[in-house]
Amino acid sequence: MNLKYIKNMKRKYQICTNCVMDTTDSKITFDKNGVCDHCNNFYENILPNWHTDEKGWLSLQEIAKKIKKEGQGKEFDCMVGMSGGVDSSYLLYLAKEKLGLRPLVFSVDTGWNTQLAVNNIKKLTNKLDLKLHTKVINWEEMRDLQLAFFKASVSHIDWPQDHAIFASIYNFATKHKIKYILTGANYSTECIKNPMEWTYMGSDLVQLKDIHNKFAQKPLVKYPTTNILKHKVYLRYFKGIKVIKPLNYVPYIKEDAIKFLVDKFGWEKYPQKHFESKFTKFYEGYWLPKKFGYDTRRVQFSSLIVTKQMTRKEALEKLSQSSYDKNTIAQDFEYIATKLGISVKKLQGYMDLPNKSYKDYKSQLNLFILGTKLMRLFGLERRTIR
Ligand SMILES: [Zn+2]
């Protein structure tokens, strides 16, 4: 861990004795045994309500039955948002082969997809004989919006991609009257979430527009948008669109899933979670840890530790290694700058700007907090979000 961040931290450095979350999450708390609140939330709220045994499988079959019934006579009965990563790839197999669903596979081309991801998506859809729809985001608007986020100097510069993907899926489902969206989101590899100060939340359209207004040069015409009220309330309760997370109902072990996909589909592995996109690889592997001291591997490994897929020792060992490849970083840096249409010097200039946070721009945070409180009250959200 970079010394600069330890010095800048207002509190004494501490790391959880159970997982590898630490005070780089500034709001983390520890109990008397040194176990963090992410871990305690997992053991108290998630684990007791998470059923991947017969009970889970029966509930998932019930859901599948309903999806099939409502989809009768339609070309597709659901849609699967596909990044080509392990979660969405395994989900696709599960949906088609195990549940007998007829999903439309939906992928979003933000301009940054790696060839590996594109190949994996093709392999899966071809072998499962499914129809693939790819939504291509207008590159000029995307590029301009990404640059605006760099200029805003916030830590959540991956938002323009996230928001476009998220919005495209919802907009497509609404337009084509598809009632069920299946996502690869899951407790097994994501039960601990990135703290809000690291990546904020991609659905805050007010913040996106504020940053766009202040720093962008082009209007957003073709760029797809959604907002929290639209997808959490209007689409869910008025349009009846439901989001299902099938991976939470079955045993889902990341390494086993990877091995299965490799053997069955010739799927190829990525070096790290979220590395399907060249931008996300650069962002999570280099920009975020280097500029802000936030290492998303901590969150990913901690999820794997509490779900017994990785030991703490193994995680610490991996964290002691650099999150990016030192031999290729200069090249990667240049690639990102060139693709964004700016010089290496200019990109370095954004790196050197004083860091800002989501609190420095307009937001819908209060609405989001209220929504999360309500969802936790009704047991719809069990992960710690802050
Ligand atoms: Zn912990």
PDB file of all heavy atoms in Angstrom, residues 5-13 23 26:
ATOM      1  N   TYR A   5      -0.921   7.450   1.177  1.00  0.00           N
ATOM      2  CA  TYR A   5      -2.300   7.390   1.631  1.00  0.00           C
ATOM      3  C   TYR A   5      -2.390   7.131   3.123  1.00  0.00           C
ATOM      4  O   TYR A   5      -3.293   7.587   3.794  1.00  0.00           O
ATOM      5  CB  TYR A   5      -3.067   6.334   0.827  1.00  0.00           C
ATOM      6  CG  TYR A   5      -3.036   6.692  -0.625  1.00  0.00           C
ATOM      7  CD1 TYR A   5      -2.216   6.019  -1.510  1.00  0.00           C
ATOM      8  CD2 TYR A   5      -3.769   7.789  -1.075  1.00  0.00           C
ATOM      9  CE1 TYR A   5      -2.147   6.393  -2.833  1.00  0.00           C
ATOM     10  CE2 TYR A   5      -3.695   8.174  -2.396  1.00  0.00           C
ATOM     11  CZ  TYR A   5      -2.888   7.476  -3.279  1.00  0.00           C
ATOM     12  OH  TYR A   5      -2.812   7.866  -4.568  1.00  0.00           O
ATOM     13  N   ILE A   6      -1.432   6.393   3.631  1.00  0.00           N
ATOM     14  CA  ILE A   6      -1.434   6.151   5.073  1.00  0.00           C
ATOM     15  C   ILE A   6      -1.255   7.488   5.781  1.00  0.00           C
ATOM     16  O   ILE A   6      -1.952   7.804   6.729  1.00  0.00           O
ATOM     17  CB  ILE A   6      -0.308   5.161   5.471  1.00  0.00           C
ATOM     18  CG1 ILE A   6      -0.565   3.816   4.783  1.00  0.00           C
ATOM     19  CG2 ILE A   6      -0.234   5.002   6.975  1.00  0.00           C
ATOM     20  CD1 ILE A   6       0.462   2.761   5.084  1.00  0.00           C
ATOM     21  N   LYS A   7      -0.345   8.294   5.256  1.00  0.00           N
ATOM     22  CA  LYS A   7      -0.058   9.597   5.867  1.00  0.00           C
ATOM     23  C   LYS A   7      -1.277  10.524   5.822  1.00  0.00           C
ATOM     24  O   LYS A   7      -1.591  11.220   6.755  1.00  0.00           O
ATOM     25  CB  LYS A   7       1.106  10.247   5.114  1.00  0.00           C
ATOM     26  CG  LYS A   7       2.310  10.517   6.027  1.00  0.00           C
ATOM     27  CD  LYS A   7       3.259  11.480   5.376  1.00  0.00           C
ATOM     28  CE  LYS A   7       4.282  10.738   4.539  1.00  0.00           C
ATOM     29  NZ  LYS A   7       5.101  11.624   3.723  1.00  0.00           N
ATOM     30  N   ASN A   8      -1.995  10.445   4.683  1.00  0.00           N
ATOM     31  CA  ASN A   8      -3.129  11.343   4.496  1.00  0.00           C
ATOM     32  C   ASN A   8      -4.384  10.913   5.257  1.00  0.00           C
ATOM     33  O   ASN A   8      -5.312  11.669   5.405  1.00  0.00           O
ATOM     34  CB  ASN A   8      -3.480  11.448   3.012  1.00  0.00           C
ATOM     35  CG  ASN A   8      -2.436  12.259   2.281  1.00  0.00           C
ATOM     36  OD1 ASN A   8      -1.619  12.921   2.919  1.00  0.00           O
ATOM     37  ND2 ASN A   8      -2.451  12.211   0.972  1.00  0.00           N
ATOM     38  N   MET A   9      -4.368   9.680   5.703  1.00  0.00           N
ATOM     39  CA  MET A   9      -5.569   9.188   6.363  1.00  0.00           C
ATOM     40  C   MET A   9      -5.718   9.813   7.730  1.00  0.00           C
ATOM     41  O   MET A   9      -4.760   9.911   8.484  1.00  0.00           O
ATOM     42  CB  MET A   9      -5.492   7.681   6.481  1.00  0.00           C
ATOM     43  CG  MET A   9      -6.221   6.987   5.385  1.00  0.00           C
ATOM     44  SD  MET A   9      -6.184   5.270   5.779  1.00  0.00           S
ATOM     45  CE  MET A   9      -5.005   4.721   4.628  1.00  0.00           C
ATOM     46  N   LYS A  10      -6.969  10.176   8.052  1.00  0.00           N
ATOM     47  CA  LYS A  10      -7.185  10.852   9.320  1.00  0.00           C
ATOM     48  C   LYS A  10      -7.112   9.871  10.487  1.00  0.00           C
ATOM     49  O   LYS A  10      -6.827  10.232  11.602  1.00  0.00           O
ATOM     50  CB  LYS A  10      -8.535  11.552   9.304  1.00  0.00           C
ATOM     51  CG  LYS A  10      -8.512  12.768   8.386  1.00  0.00           C
ATOM     52  CD  LYS A  10      -9.817  13.532   8.460  1.00  0.00           C
ATOM     53  CE  LYS A  10      -9.896  14.583   7.376  1.00  0.00           C
ATOM     54  NZ  LYS A  10     -10.338  14.040   6.086  1.00  0.00           N
ATOM     55  N   ARG A  11      -7.409   8.592  10.229  1.00  0.00           N
ATOM     56  CA  ARG A  11      -7.400   7.633  11.324  1.00  0.00           C
ATOM     57  C   ARG A  11      -6.216   6.681  11.184  1.00  0.00           C
ATOM     58  O   ARG A  11      -5.608   6.586  10.134  1.00  0.00           O
ATOM     59  CB  ARG A  11      -8.715   6.870  11.352  1.00  0.00           C
ATOM     60  CG  ARG A  11      -9.008   6.161  10.039  1.00  0.00           C
ATOM     61  CD  ARG A  11     -10.450   5.723   9.980  1.00  0.00           C
ATOM     62  NE  ARG A  11     -10.680   4.602  10.878  1.00  0.00           N
ATOM     63  CZ  ARG A  11     -11.729   3.779  10.744  1.00  0.00           C
ATOM     64  NH1 ARG A  11     -12.620   3.990   9.779  1.00  0.00           N
ATOM     65  NH2 ARG A  11     -11.912   2.784  11.571  1.00  0.00           N
ATOM     66  N   LYS A  12      -5.961   5.986  12.271  1.00  0.00           N
ATOM     67  CA  LYS A  12      -4.848   5.045  12.278  1.00  0.00           C
ATOM     68  C   LYS A  12      -5.146   3.887  11.333  1.00  0.00           C
ATOM     69  O   LYS A  12      -6.276   3.428  11.248  1.00  0.00           O
ATOM     70  CB  LYS A  12      -4.687   4.520  13.707  1.00  0.00           C
ATOM     71  CG  LYS A  12      -3.317   3.990  14.008  1.00  0.00           C
ATOM     72  CD  LYS A  12      -3.245   3.638  15.494  1.00  0.00           C
ATOM     73  CE  LYS A  12      -2.665   2.259  15.657  1.00  0.00           C
ATOM     74  NZ  LYS A  12      -3.547   1.259  16.201  1.00  0.00           N
ATOM     75  N   TYR A  13      -4.127   3.421  10.651  1.00  0.00           N
ATOM     76  CA  TYR A  13      -4.345   2.325   9.707  1.00  0.00           C
ATOM     77  C   TYR A  13      -4.764   1.055  10.441  1.00  0.00           C
ATOM     78  O   TYR A  13      -4.218   0.715  11.479  1.00  0.00           O
ATOM     79  CB  TYR A  13      -3.069   2.031   8.909  1.00  0.00           C
ATOM     80  CG  TYR A  13      -3.281   0.902   7.925  1.00  0.00           C
ATOM     81  CD1 TYR A  13      -3.963   1.126   6.743  1.00  0.00           C
ATOM     82  CD2 TYR A  13      -2.859  -0.399   8.206  1.00  0.00           C
ATOM     83  CE1 TYR A  13      -4.206   0.092   5.841  1.00  0.00           C
ATOM     84  CE2 TYR A  13      -3.101  -1.433   7.325  1.00  0.00           C
ATOM     85  CZ  TYR A  13      -3.773  -1.186   6.149  1.00  0.00           C
ATOM     86  OH  TYR A  13      -4.029  -2.206   5.272  1.00  0.00           O
ATOM     87  N   THR A  23      -8.676   0.517   6.330  1.00  0.00           N
ATOM     88  CA  THR A  23      -9.119   1.901   6.487  1.00  0.00           C
ATOM     89  C   THR A  23      -8.985   2.735   5.207  1.00  0.00           C
ATOM     90  O   THR A  23      -9.261   3.935   5.238  1.00  0.00           O
ATOM     91  CB  THR A  23      -8.362   2.576   7.661  1.00  0.00           C
ATOM     92  OG1 THR A  23      -7.001   2.112   7.643  1.00  0.00           O
ATOM     93  CG2 THR A  23      -8.996   2.252   8.989  1.00  0.00           C
ATOM     94  N   SER A  26     -12.798   4.659   4.404  1.00  0.00           N
ATOM     95  CA  SER A  26     -12.666   5.536   5.577  1.00  0.00           C
ATOM     96  C   SER A  26     -13.785   5.360   6.600  1.00  0.00           C
ATOM     97  O   SER A  26     -13.646   5.739   7.745  1.00  0.00           O
ATOM     98  CB  SER A  26     -12.575   6.994   5.134  1.00  0.00           C
ATOM     99  OG  SER A  26     -13.838   7.419   4.669  1.00  0.00           O
TER     100      SER A  26
END
